[in-house]
PDB file of all heavy atoms in Angstrom:
ATOM      1  N   VAL A  42      10.203 -44.388   9.790  1.00 81.00           N
ATOM      2  CA  VAL A  42       9.132 -43.384   9.957  1.00 81.00           C
ATOM      3  C   VAL A  42       9.618 -42.263  10.879  1.00 81.00           C
ATOM      4  O   VAL A  42       9.451 -41.076  10.585  1.00 81.00           O
ATOM      5  CB  VAL A  42       7.852 -44.043  10.534  1.00 81.00           C
ATOM      6  CG1 VAL A  42       6.783 -42.984  10.795  1.00 81.00           C
ATOM      7  CG2 VAL A  42       7.336 -45.083   9.579  1.00 81.00           C
ATOM      8  N   VAL A  43      10.268 -42.675  11.977  1.00 79.00           N
ATOM      9  CA  VAL A  43      10.809 -41.683  12.917  1.00 79.00           C
ATOM     10  C   VAL A  43      11.831 -40.811  12.210  1.00 79.00           C
ATOM     11  O   VAL A  43      11.850 -39.592  12.354  1.00 79.00           O
ATOM     12  CB  VAL A  43      11.444 -42.402  14.140  1.00 79.00           C
ATOM     13  CG1 VAL A  43      12.216 -41.410  15.003  1.00 79.00           C
ATOM     14  CG2 VAL A  43      10.376 -43.084  14.966  1.00 79.00           C
ATOM     15  N   ARG A  44      12.647 -41.475  11.404  1.00 81.00           N
ATOM     16  CA  ARG A  44      13.704 -40.736  10.707  1.00 81.00           C
ATOM     17  C   ARG A  44      13.104 -39.686   9.763  1.00 81.00           C
ATOM     18  O   ARG A  44      13.515 -38.537   9.726  1.00 81.00           O
ATOM     19  CB  ARG A  44      14.582 -41.721   9.942  1.00 81.00           C
ATOM     20  CG  ARG A  44      15.978 -41.203   9.727  1.00 81.00           C
ATOM     21  CD  ARG A  44      16.956 -42.288   9.383  1.00 81.00           C
ATOM     22  NE  ARG A  44      16.586 -43.053   8.231  1.00 81.00           N
ATOM     23  CZ  ARG A  44      16.486 -44.387   8.226  1.00 81.00           C
ATOM     24  NH1 ARG A  44      16.692 -45.076   9.325  1.00 81.00           N
ATOM     25  NH2 ARG A  44      16.164 -45.038   7.129  1.00 81.00           N
ATOM     26  N   ARG A  45      12.075 -40.121   9.039  1.00 82.00           N
ATOM     27  CA  ARG A  45      11.469 -39.175   8.089  1.00 82.00           C
ATOM     28  C   ARG A  45      10.817 -37.995   8.809  1.00 82.00           C
ATOM     29  O   ARG A  45      10.884 -36.853   8.352  1.00 82.00           O
ATOM     30  CB  ARG A  45      10.420 -39.909   7.234  1.00 82.00           C
ATOM     31  CG  ARG A  45      11.083 -40.663   6.111  1.00 82.00           C
ATOM     32  CD  ARG A  45      10.117 -41.481   5.323  1.00 82.00           C
ATOM     33  NE  ARG A  45      10.848 -42.440   4.506  1.00 82.00           N
ATOM     34  CZ  ARG A  45      10.375 -43.600   4.120  1.00 82.00           C
ATOM     35  NH1 ARG A  45       9.192 -43.993   4.518  1.00 82.00           N
ATOM     36  NH2 ARG A  45      11.088 -44.392   3.364  1.00 82.00           N
ATOM     37  N   MET A  46      10.170 -38.312   9.938  1.00 81.00           N
ATOM     38  CA  MET A  46       9.545 -37.226  10.708  1.00 81.00           C
ATOM     39  C   MET A  46      10.588 -36.245  11.219  1.00 81.00           C
ATOM     40  O   MET A  46      10.371 -35.028  11.231  1.00 81.00           O
ATOM     41  CB  MET A  46       8.737 -37.805  11.887  1.00 81.00           C
ATOM     42  CG  MET A  46       7.413 -38.419  11.461  1.00 81.00           C
ATOM     43  SD  MET A  46       6.735 -39.481  12.725  1.00 81.00           S
ATOM     44  CE  MET A  46       5.884 -38.336  13.724  1.00 81.00           C
ATOM     45  N   ALA A  47      11.707 -36.778  11.653  1.00 83.00           N
ATOM     46  CA  ALA A  47      12.793 -35.908  12.139  1.00 83.00           C
ATOM     47  C   ALA A  47      13.309 -35.020  11.011  1.00 83.00           C
ATOM     48  O   ALA A  47      13.542 -33.827  11.193  1.00 83.00           O
ATOM     49  CB  ALA A  47      13.917 -36.746  12.713  1.00 83.00           C
ATOM     50  N   TYR A  48      13.483 -35.628   9.842  1.00 84.00           N
ATOM     51  CA  TYR A  48      13.952 -34.843   8.689  1.00 84.00           C
ATOM     52  C   TYR A  48      12.935 -33.748   8.354  1.00 84.00           C
ATOM     53  O   TYR A  48      13.297 -32.603   8.047  1.00 84.00           O
ATOM     54  CB  TYR A  48      14.148 -35.747   7.471  1.00 84.00           C
ATOM     55  CG  TYR A  48      15.351 -36.671   7.589  1.00 84.00           C
ATOM     56  CD1 TYR A  48      15.407 -37.842   6.836  1.00 84.00           C
ATOM     57  CD2 TYR A  48      16.423 -36.376   8.430  1.00 84.00           C
ATOM     58  CE1 TYR A  48      16.495 -38.698   6.922  1.00 84.00           C
ATOM     59  CE2 TYR A  48      17.507 -37.237   8.527  1.00 84.00           C
ATOM     60  CZ  TYR A  48      17.542 -38.389   7.788  1.00 84.00           C
ATOM     61  OH  TYR A  48      18.605 -39.222   7.873  1.00 84.00           O
ATOM     62  N   LEU A  49      11.658 -34.090   8.406  1.00 84.00           N
ATOM     63  CA  LEU A  49      10.600 -33.119   8.084  1.00 84.00           C
ATOM     64  C   LEU A  49      10.647 -31.940   9.075  1.00 84.00           C
ATOM     65  O   LEU A  49      10.573 -30.773   8.677  1.00 84.00           O
ATOM     66  CB  LEU A  49       9.232 -33.815   8.140  1.00 84.00           C
ATOM     67  CG  LEU A  49       8.022 -32.936   7.806  1.00 84.00           C
ATOM     68  CD1 LEU A  49       8.108 -32.420   6.377  1.00 84.00           C
ATOM     69  CD2 LEU A  49       6.729 -33.714   7.990  1.00 84.00           C
ATOM     70  N   ALA A  50      10.788 -32.291  10.372  1.00 84.00           N
ATOM     71  CA  ALA A  50      10.847 -31.237  11.396  1.00 84.00           C
ATOM     72  C   ALA A  50      12.044 -30.321  11.159  1.00 84.00           C
ATOM     73  O   ALA A  50      11.910 -29.093  11.176  1.00 84.00           O
ATOM     74  CB  ALA A  50      10.928 -31.869  12.777  1.00 84.00           C
ATOM     75  N   ALA A  51      13.207 -30.933  10.898  1.00 86.00           N
ATOM     76  CA  ALA A  51      14.410 -30.132  10.644  1.00 86.00           C
ATOM     77  C   ALA A  51      14.216 -29.263   9.405  1.00 86.00           C
ATOM     78  O   ALA A  51      14.576 -28.082   9.383  1.00 86.00           O
ATOM     79  CB  ALA A  51      15.614 -31.042  10.482  1.00 86.00           C
ATOM     80  N   GLY A  52      13.611 -29.853   8.380  1.00 85.00           N
ATOM     81  CA  GLY A  52      13.367 -29.122   7.132  1.00 85.00           C
ATOM     82  C   GLY A  52      12.466 -27.916   7.356  1.00 85.00           C
ATOM     83  O   GLY A  52      12.717 -26.828   6.836  1.00 85.00           O
ATOM     84  N   LEU A  53      11.420 -28.117   8.156  1.00 84.00           N
ATOM     85  CA  LEU A  53      10.493 -27.012   8.434  1.00 84.00           C
ATOM     86  C   LEU A  53      11.195 -25.858   9.138  1.00 84.00           C
ATOM     87  O   LEU A  53      10.995 -24.692   8.788  1.00 84.00           O
ATOM     88  CB  LEU A  53       9.346 -27.518   9.314  1.00 84.00           C
ATOM     89  CG  LEU A  53       8.227 -28.265   8.599  1.00 84.00           C
ATOM     90  CD1 LEU A  53       7.260 -28.870   9.610  1.00 84.00           C
ATOM     91  CD2 LEU A  53       7.468 -27.341   7.670  1.00 84.00           C
ATOM     92  N   VAL A  54      12.016 -26.214  10.106  1.00 86.00           N
ATOM     93  CA  VAL A  54      12.742 -25.161  10.840  1.00 86.00           C
ATOM     94  C   VAL A  54      13.675 -24.412   9.891  1.00 86.00           C
ATOM     95  O   VAL A  54      13.735 -23.177   9.889  1.00 86.00           O
ATOM     96  CB  VAL A  54      13.523 -25.762  12.024  1.00 86.00           C
ATOM     97  CG1 VAL A  54      14.430 -24.715  12.655  1.00 86.00           C
ATOM     98  CG2 VAL A  54      12.565 -26.307  13.071  1.00 86.00           C
ATOM     99  N   ILE A  55      14.378 -25.185   9.044  1.00 86.00           N
ATOM    100  CA  ILE A  55      15.315 -24.552   8.101  1.00 86.00           C
ATOM    101  C   ILE A  55      14.560 -23.607   7.157  1.00 86.00           C
ATOM    102  O   ILE A  55      14.964 -22.464   6.932  1.00 86.00           O
ATOM    103  CB  ILE A  55      16.102 -25.623   7.307  1.00 86.00           C
ATOM    104  CG1 ILE A  55      17.060 -26.348   8.249  1.00 86.00           C
ATOM    105  CG2 ILE A  55      16.856 -24.999   6.133  1.00 86.00           C
ATOM    106  CD1 ILE A  55      17.690 -27.584   7.658  1.00 86.00           C
ATOM    107  N   VAL A  56      13.410 -24.073   6.635  1.00 84.00           N
ATOM    108  CA  VAL A  56      12.639 -23.257   5.699  1.00 84.00           C
ATOM    109  C   VAL A  56      12.152 -21.979   6.388  1.00 84.00           C
ATOM    110  O   VAL A  56      12.246 -20.877   5.834  1.00 84.00           O
ATOM    111  CB  VAL A  56      11.443 -24.064   5.137  1.00 84.00           C
ATOM    112  CG1 VAL A  56      10.437 -23.150   4.456  1.00 84.00           C
ATOM    113  CG2 VAL A  56      11.938 -25.103   4.152  1.00 84.00           C
ATOM    114  N   PHE A  57      11.682 -22.113   7.632  1.00 84.00           N
ATOM    115  CA  PHE A  57      11.198 -20.931   8.356  1.00 84.00           C
ATOM    116  C   PHE A  57      12.325 -19.917   8.573  1.00 84.00           C
ATOM    117  O   PHE A  57      12.151 -18.719   8.334  1.00 84.00           O
ATOM    118  CB  PHE A  57      10.601 -21.349   9.701  1.00 84.00           C
ATOM    119  CG  PHE A  57      10.134 -20.171  10.511  1.00 84.00           C
ATOM    120  CD1 PHE A  57       8.972 -19.490  10.182  1.00 84.00           C
ATOM    121  CD2 PHE A  57      10.884 -19.713  11.589  1.00 84.00           C
ATOM    122  CE1 PHE A  57       8.554 -18.396  10.915  1.00 84.00           C
ATOM    123  CE2 PHE A  57      10.462 -18.613  12.324  1.00 84.00           C
ATOM    124  CZ  PHE A  57       9.299 -17.950  11.983  1.00 84.00           C
ATOM    125  N   LEU A  58      13.481 -20.430   9.017  1.00 87.00           N
ATOM    126  CA  LEU A  58      14.609 -19.514   9.250  1.00 87.00           C
ATOM    127  C   LEU A  58      15.025 -18.823   7.964  1.00 87.00           C
ATOM    128  O   LEU A  58      15.354 -17.637   7.953  1.00 87.00           O
ATOM    129  CB  LEU A  58      15.799 -20.287   9.855  1.00 87.00           C
ATOM    130  CG  LEU A  58      15.581 -20.772  11.290  1.00 87.00           C
ATOM    131  CD1 LEU A  58      16.775 -21.593  11.768  1.00 87.00           C
ATOM    132  CD2 LEU A  58      15.338 -19.599  12.229  1.00 87.00           C
TER     133      LEU A  58
END
Side-chain angles (χ1 to χ4, degrees):
Chain A
V42 176
V43 170
R44 206 162 56 234
R45 279 175 195 152
M46 284 164 85
Y48 288 157
L49 181 62
L53 280 172
V54 172
I55 291 169
V56 165
F57 178 75
L58 291 177

